[in-house]
Amino acid sequence: MTNKMLTALGLMSGTSMDGVDVAVIRTDGGGIVEAGGHSFHAYSPDQRDLLREAIVAAQPLRNRHVRPDRLAQAEAMVTDVHAQAVISFMTKEGLAPGDIELVGFHGQTVLHRPQDGLTIQIGDGAVLSRQIGIDVVYDFRANDMERGGQGAPLVPVFHQALCRSSKVTYPVIVMNIGGVANITYLVADEAPPVACDIGPGNALIDDFMLERSGTAIDRDGLMAASGRVDAAVLKALLAHPFFDQKPPKSLDRHDFSRDPVASLTTADGAATLSAFTAQAAALILRFLPEKPKSLIIAGGGAFNPTLVRMLADAFGLLPVTADAMGWSTHALEAQAFAYLAVRSKRGMALTFPSTTGVARPVTGGILATR
């Protein structure tokens, strides 16, 4: 007997901290995914500043439920902005609350320290549910970590569902390049996905550009394209012990430092950090049983031609975007949390031994009813 299809809305605010992605899908939580509309709701500069302050406030915490002043303020802001994003999207799409059966709310990660079994995503799912009048699933990572998993990445089961319904050449890597980069590696339709975080994604580039230019992006990779990679600095960056760890493994946005590029020009620093993201990603190849035959990329990094070219060189493969697959480069992670919300409500597994290192497949998330 097949599960009933549900209409779910997913919300994702990634480690790039640029704003909230919103996406609707219809799914049974298994192999059927029908994509609907999607949109993006940007954080204001002041809101991004508050998030950065919240990350600083979170660093000394040992209790994931504690909310010091700035963290509490940031949590209220994140919840309100997500509510605004949902209401704006539904108005634009002509949807009423009754048209959406479930919302998947990731929240904003301010701390992820798997070695301590600690992860903190701010955003109050119960308050959001009341504000938008729809049931909300939130706090997706904690159950996995309480059972010994890394708590990340969560999206591999969604990547697998997409690959099953697409013309994919196996083995395949699906790579998301947000603030942190992660992969899902699949050798066949029914094979367990192998997944892990692989490196810094856009985080170092964005922070470096914010410091140098006041804008937290190297738009279209133009600054990196105008610079030269400093081989010595790149070698030092690639010496980080994370890259010698076997998967499953996961990262915090601030596990890497941009200090090694401090003495470089803006162009050379951007080029070197971009090369670091690409070459760090390719280091995962030594832990995979077989070299991938295809590489599909999504997330903000997919819109950086310089980074995409560097990835092609590092992997020896021509990457294709999620858009080229008929998916959505912009909305993939938001869609994933809609999908995960449906699986969570139905008690289906979200994480697996080969994706987070948890001892056995487990579900996750908390359901807040309106």
Side-chain angles (χ1 to χ4, degrees):
M1 181 177 176
T2 58
N3 281 324
K4 174 193 169 191
M5 297 278 283
L6 296 180
T7 301
L9 183 149
L11 297 167
M12 181 63 193
S13 177
T15 50
S16 58
M17 300 186 299
D18 53 351
V20 180
D21 288 304
V22 184
V24 165
I25 64 171
R26 280 183 57 76
T27 183
D28 62 350
I32 303 175
V33 180
E34 299 171 358
H38 60 85
S39 67
F40 175 73
H41 187 100
Y43 287 124
S44 70
D46 286 347
Q47 289 168 341
R48 288 194 294 271
D49 287 344
L50 177 57
L51 288 176
R52 293 187 185 96
E53 292 173 17
I55 287 172
V56 173
Q59 297 313 300
L61 296 183
R62 295 293 180 268
N63 183 335
R64 65 187 305 269
H65 300 292
V66 172
R67 298 290 186 266
D69 286 348
R70 293 304 273 169
L71 206 57
Q73 292 171 30
E75 180 160 69
M77 180 274 290
V78 164
T79 306
D80 288 344
V81 170
H82 279 72
Q84 293 167 24
V86 172
I87 293 166
S88 175
F89 171 79
M90 292 179 68
T91 300
K92 183 189 75 170
E93 296 287 321
L95 297 170
D99 297 325
I100 304 295
E101 295 164 274
L102 197 62
V103 169
F105 175 34
H106 174 268
Q108 181 70 54
T109 298
V110 292
L111 182 70
H112 186 71
R113 198 175 292 146
Q115 67 274 19
D116 297 328
L118 184 62
T119 190
I120 303 174
Q121 287 75 45
I122 56 173
D124 191 320
V127 171
L128 179 65
S129 179
R130 292 195 295 271
Q131 288 177 331
I132 63 176
I134 307 170
D135 291 354
V136 171
V137 178
Y138 67 106
D139 200 11
F140 285 91
R141 301 184 187 276
N143 193 48
D144 178 85
M145 294 188 76
E146 287 169 5
R147 285 155 179 75
Q150 293 276 319
L154 292 178
V155 296
V157 69
F158 179 64
H159 290 162
Q160 186 173 44
L162 291 177
C163 286
R164 282 174 177 160
S165 60
S166 305
K167 292 182 179 179
V168 170
T169 301
Y170 292 103
V172 59
I173 283 178
V174 182
M175 180 185 301
N176 181 71
I177 314 167
V180 169
N182 58 66
I183 63 157
T184 300
Y185 172 83
L186 295 160
V187 295
D189 275 352
E190 301 305 321
V194 174
C196 64
D197 288 344
I198 54 173
N202 300 311
L204 291 180
I205 303 167
D206 290 350
D207 290 350
F208 177 75
M209 291 303 297
L210 177 65
E211 181 180 68
R212 293 295 181 94
S213 70
T215 302
I217 189 173
D218 179 12
R219 197 167 301 280
D220 297 325
L222 294 176
M223 185 61 70
S226 70
R228 296 179 62 183
V229 175
D230 187 301
V233 171
L234 178 59
K235 182 178 179 180
L237 289 166
L238 290 168
H240 194 287
F242 173 81
F243 302 117
D244 291 326
Q245 297 174 27
K246 295 180 180 180
K249 56 184 178 178
S250 63
L251 288 165
D252 184 81
R253 187 185 192 282
H254 296 281
D255 280 345
F256 301 103
S257 171
R258 64 185 185 279
D259 289 348
V261 301
S263 63
L264 302 183
T265 66
T266 302
D268 290 354
T272 302
L273 290 175
S274 298
F276 177 40
T277 292
Q279 293 195 28
L283 290 176
I284 196 61
L285 292 173
R286 59 186 155 160
F287 296 118
L288 302 179
E290 185 180 347
K291 184 178 177 181
K293 293 181 179 176
S294 51
L295 173 62
I296 302 166
I297 56 174
F303 299 99
N304 181 330
T306 303
L307 180 56
V308 172
R309 175 179 54 79
M310 289 179 171
L311 284 166
D313 291 342
F315 278 81
L317 286 169
L318 183 63
V320 298
T321 65
D323 286 336
M325 295 296 300
W327 307 346
S328 175
T329 302
H330 275 294
L332 203 68
E333 281 205 300
Q335 292 172 345
F337 281 94
Y339 179 81
L340 293 172
V342 172
R343 290 182 68 90
S344 173
K345 184 173 182 178
R346 290 179 165 163
M348 300 166 75
L350 307 187
T351 56
F352 306 85
S354 59
T355 62
T356 66
V358 70
R360 58 180 178 80
V362 295
T363 190
I366 296 171
L367 177 64
T369 57
R370 61 189 185 280

